[in-house]
Amino acid sequence: MFDVVTGGAGFIGSHLVDSLVARGRDVLVIDSLCAGKQVTIAGHLASGRVRILQMDLLTDGWQDSLKGAGCVYHLAADPDVRQSAMTPEPTFRNNIAATYRVLEAMRIHGILNLVFTSTSTVYGNATVIPTPENYTPLEPVSVYGGSKLACEALISAYCHSFGMKSWQFRFANIIGARSGHGVITDFVRKLKENQKELEILGDGKQTKSYLEVHECVEAMHFAMAHSKNPVNIFNIGSEDWIDVRSIADILVEEMHLPGVKYRFTGGALGWVGDVPKMQLAVDRIKGLGWKPRLGSRESVRIAVRAALEGQ
């Protein structure tokens, strides 16, 4: 028996593939490679423990490859929150429509276990911080957040209608080696272009929770091993937060650029759909016996060093 990872050549997906192989699993990666990179899993491909099917989930021809799988880890998605406010259709197609197609393929082939990577943005501008999984009302402020919440609802319906089990993980900002987007990636790119000035979107006071990717993957496996309800929803994040200006300070320190001037674009929001304050309550997964070892500041420094090393 093997596992399937959609988006398995991407940032979190490739780290998940690493962990599954380390646990003795054979893995089928389905990835269009529009954002992921095959080099991230090249060693596993060479060993024969991992196969890759380069296909878009919105096309046909991949569905039968799921037959006989033990679990589908559905990570493939369009993660661009800012772009979703300008052109919503790709977010709808790559998140909601693709998830429906994965669920249908699972139903047809009798695959009962699904892991889905959701997001803290389903909570919108929560008034309770840290925000627990039972927080209401869920009012996303971005098309991206809305698409992930729609996927959660669809997955829940399939679980209760067709006897499936799901683990849905609402992530804080997951960062680390192989990341291709986010504030750290943006800052590194900007500072490589101009070492004298750094543009910071908003007022730099946006404060959020960050968690290093290896801790995230570890938490996913732990929650799966210790919860067996039809629908299992968990927040995954650190137990603290850090503001954007402090992230810039860490990057400038690591790049040895003490003379950099910050230029703020102004306003509490970095972009349309941004959530300026976010920290997730992780009491539910802590109740099972897992808790993060790293805080946001430590996670950011690890991710900054990985980005500067080209990882």
Side-chain angles (χ1 to χ4, degrees), residues 44 63 85 87 89 149 161 182 195 202 212 217 231 237 243 271 274:
H44 301 311
Q63 291 92 331
T87 52
E89 185 176 358
L149 185 56
S161 297
Q195 296 187 352
E212 200 274 331
V217 172
V231 178
D243 62 65
W271 56 83
D274 186 23

Side-chain angles (χ1 to χ4, degrees), residues 64-77:
D64 287 345
S65 67
L66 268 59
K67 187 175 182 180
C71 182
V72 174
Y73 295 80
H74 180 39
L75 279 68

Side-chain angles (χ1 to χ4, degrees), residues 209-235:
S209 172
Y210 293 79
L211 185 67
E212 200 274 331
V213 65
H214 291 93
E215 290 234 82
C216 171
V217 172
E218 177 187 301
M220 292 169 65
H221 287 305
F222 190 93
M224 290 178 66
H226 293 84
S227 55
K228 301 296 181 183
N229 294 324
V231 178
N232 303 276
I233 295 178
F234 291 96
N235 289 338

Side-chain angles (χ1 to χ4, degrees), residues 49-71:
R49 297 296 304 278
V50 174
R51 297 176 292 132
I52 186 168
L53 188 60
Q54 185 179 345
M55 296 195 70
D56 191 317
L57 294 175
L58 296 174
T59 64
D60 288 324
W62 55 268
Q63 291 92 331
D64 287 345
S65 67
L66 268 59
K67 187 175 182 180
C71 182

Side-chain angles (χ1 to χ4, degrees), residues 63-230:
Q63 291 92 331
D64 287 345
S65 67
L66 268 59
K67 187 175 182 180
C71 182
V72 174
Y73 295 80
H74 180 39
L75 279 68
D78 184 343
D80 197 331
V81 179
R82 279 179 275 181
Q83 189 63 35
S84 74
M86 294 180 279
T87 52
E89 185 176 358
T91 303
F92 167 79
R93 288 172 53 80
N94 291 315
N95 294 1
I96 300 173
T99 298
Y100 164 73
R101 290 170 63 84
V102 168
L103 287 166
E104 269 295 277
M106 291 178 63
R107 181 184 67 83
I108 290 169
H109 292 294
I111 302 166
L112 300 179
N113 298 307
L114 172 70
V115 173
F116 177 69
T117 51
S118 189
T119 169
S120 63
T121 61
V122 300
Y123 296 114
N125 289 308
T127 57
V128 176
I129 299 176
T131 310
E133 290 90 346
N134 60 0
Y135 173 84
T136 56
L138 296 179
E139 295 181 355
V141 296
S142 66
V143 174
Y144 170 76
S147 74
K148 286 292 192 174
L149 185 56
C151 290
E152 286 191 17
L154 193 58
I155 291 167
S156 175
Y158 265 72
C159 287
H160 290 289
S161 297
F162 305 113
M164 297 179 181
K165 293 181 180 178
S166 67
W167 292 264
Q168 304 183 46
F169 296 109
R170 294 171 178 169
F171 289 162
N173 292 296
I174 307 304
I175 54 177
R178 308 175 194 162
S179 178
H181 72 280
V183 63
I184 294 173
T185 301
D186 288 346
F187 282 177
V188 169
R189 175 183 54 80
K190 289 176 179 178
L191 284 172
K192 286 183 176 180
E193 293 174 354
N194 182 356
Q195 296 187 352
K196 295 182 178 179
E197 181 181 83
L198 175 62
E199 178 193 64
I200 299 178
L201 301 180
D203 57 12
K205 297 178 181 179
Q206 304 97 318
T207 308
K208 305 180 185 183
S209 172
Y210 293 79
L211 185 67
E212 200 274 331
V213 65
H214 291 93
E215 290 234 82
C216 171
V217 172
E218 177 187 301
M220 292 169 65
H221 287 305
F222 190 93
M224 290 178 66
H226 293 84
S227 55
K228 301 296 181 183
N229 294 324

